[in-house]
């Protein structure tokens, strides 16, 4: 069985954009290397010295949260933990401040979700699966110097291959013409309107008809982005087994009248 977990990019435009993102990534990496020589690192969650994530903060990554996603085969999405406290600080350090050393523990935590039910039983019934990261805008990728979900997606595909499931990372989705960040949109309705019609299949990347998919994202708040990704993939004939995330934002308590 051949397992190829490498990213798939086909279009000339994508190659140009990838080159820009690669140059930005190289510069960002050089700055981080200098920083790491000059300053010792601390835990991304609490600042404890000489730790990527200390044992206490790691516990926040092994508190799975399930949320309803009826359009998936499993009917649920799963996150490694709740988006608050040390996990929130760690995710923000990784996502917005370039702490790429968190790739390892974050990848391991999401791999653990693959073994949770009902996803593990579902995976036992398929021979192949595509791992599809939720898309980021090219502006975000160039600002951060990389697409931060790619290393996690690659680790998931490698682990699935080791379990006998042919897996490959497919950056099959792209986002267009979104001018606001999700954090700038407070209501669930606003988040839904922000992404509806703005996520689509990437030109030149076509999944085989009927190929099952696992969608991954970093933070789930209302679930609007995940649902839009799922709807786009299902419309192309690809069932989504489940959706996985690093963190799930707890619902706000209802306001007292």
């Amino acid at each position: 069985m051949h397992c190829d977990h490498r990213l798939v990019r086909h279009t000339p435009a994508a190659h140009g954009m990838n080159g820009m993102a690669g140059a930005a990534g190289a510069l960002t990496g050089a700055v981080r290397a200098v920083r790491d020589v000059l300053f010792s690192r601390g835990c991304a969650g609490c600042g404890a010295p000489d730790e990527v994530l200390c044992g206490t903060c790691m516990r926040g990554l092994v508190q799975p949260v399930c949320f309803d996603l009826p359009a998936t085969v499993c009917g649920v999405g799963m996150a490694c933990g709740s988006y608050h406290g040390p996990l929130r600080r760690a995710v923000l350090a990784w996502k917005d401040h370039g702490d790429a050393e968190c790739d390892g523990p974050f990848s391991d935590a999401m791999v653990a979700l693959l073994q949770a039910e009902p996803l593990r039983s579902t995976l036992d019934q398929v021979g192949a699966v595509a791992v599809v990261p939720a898309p980021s805008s090219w502006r975000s990728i160039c600002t951060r110097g990389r697409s931060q979900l790619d290393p996690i997606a690659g680790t998931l595909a490698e682990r699935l291959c080791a379990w006998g499931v042919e897996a490959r990372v497919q950056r099959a989705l792209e986002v267009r013409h979104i001018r606001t960040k999700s954090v700038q949109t407070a209501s669930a309705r606003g988040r839904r309107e922000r992404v509806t019609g703005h996520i689509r299949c990437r030109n030149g990347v076509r999944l085989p008809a009927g190929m099952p998919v696992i969608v991954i994202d970093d933070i789930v708040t209302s679930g609007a982005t995940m649902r839009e990704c799922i709807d786009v993939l299902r419309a192309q004939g690809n069932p989504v087994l489940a959706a996985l995330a690093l963190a799930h934002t707890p619902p706000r308590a209802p306001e007292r009248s």
Side-chain angles (χ1 to χ4, degrees), residues 121-143:
S121 296
T122 304
L123 286 169
D124 288 341
Q125 300 173 34
V126 301
V129 66
V131 181
V132 176
S136 296
S137 69
W138 279 108
R139 178 178 295 179
S140 295
I141 292 172
C142 289
T143 298

Side-chain angles (χ1 to χ4, degrees), residues 151-183:
I152 295 176
T155 299
L156 292 180
E158 289 176 353
R159 198 63 57 89
L160 287 164
C161 285
W163 295 347
V165 178
E166 185 175 350
R168 188 171 186 171
V169 179
Q170 294 272 15
R171 284 183 60 190
L173 301 175
E174 63 181 0
V175 60
R176 291 292 186 92
H177 309 305
I178 292 182
R179 296 175 181 173
T180 58
K181 296 182 178 180
S182 59
V183 296

Side-chain angles (χ1 to χ4, degrees), residues 66-141:
C66 287
F67 49 95
D68 290 337
L69 279 176
T72 64
V73 174
C74 292
V76 296
M78 293 182 286
C80 300
S82 294
Y83 186 60
H84 64 81
L87 180 55
R88 179 180 182 275
R89 291 191 290 272
V91 170
L92 289 176
W94 166 79
K95 181 176 180 178
D96 292 335
H97 300 289
D99 194 348
E101 288 185 86
C102 287
D103 289 351
F106 285 173
S107 296
D108 291 341
M110 200 173 284
V111 164
L113 295 180
L114 294 176
Q115 303 180 69
E117 296 296 349
L119 180 54
R120 184 58 202 254
S121 296
T122 304
L123 286 169
D124 288 341
Q125 300 173 34
V126 301
V129 66
V131 181
V132 176
S136 296
S137 69
W138 279 108
R139 178 178 295 179
S140 295
I141 292 172

Side-chain angles (χ1 to χ4, degrees), residues 230-250:
I230 291 165
D231 288 347
V232 170
L233 290 164
R234 292 181 70 215
Q236 294 296 314
N238 298 104
V240 178
L241 302 183
L244 308 179
L246 290 174
H248 178 267
T249 304

Side-chain angles (χ1 to χ4, degrees), residues 135 173-176 178 195 197-201 225 228-229 232:
L173 301 175
E174 63 181 0
V175 60
R176 291 292 186 92
I178 292 182
V195 297
H198 294 291
I199 294 175
R200 66 184 190 184
C201 289
T225 298
E228 185 72 6
C229 292
V232 170

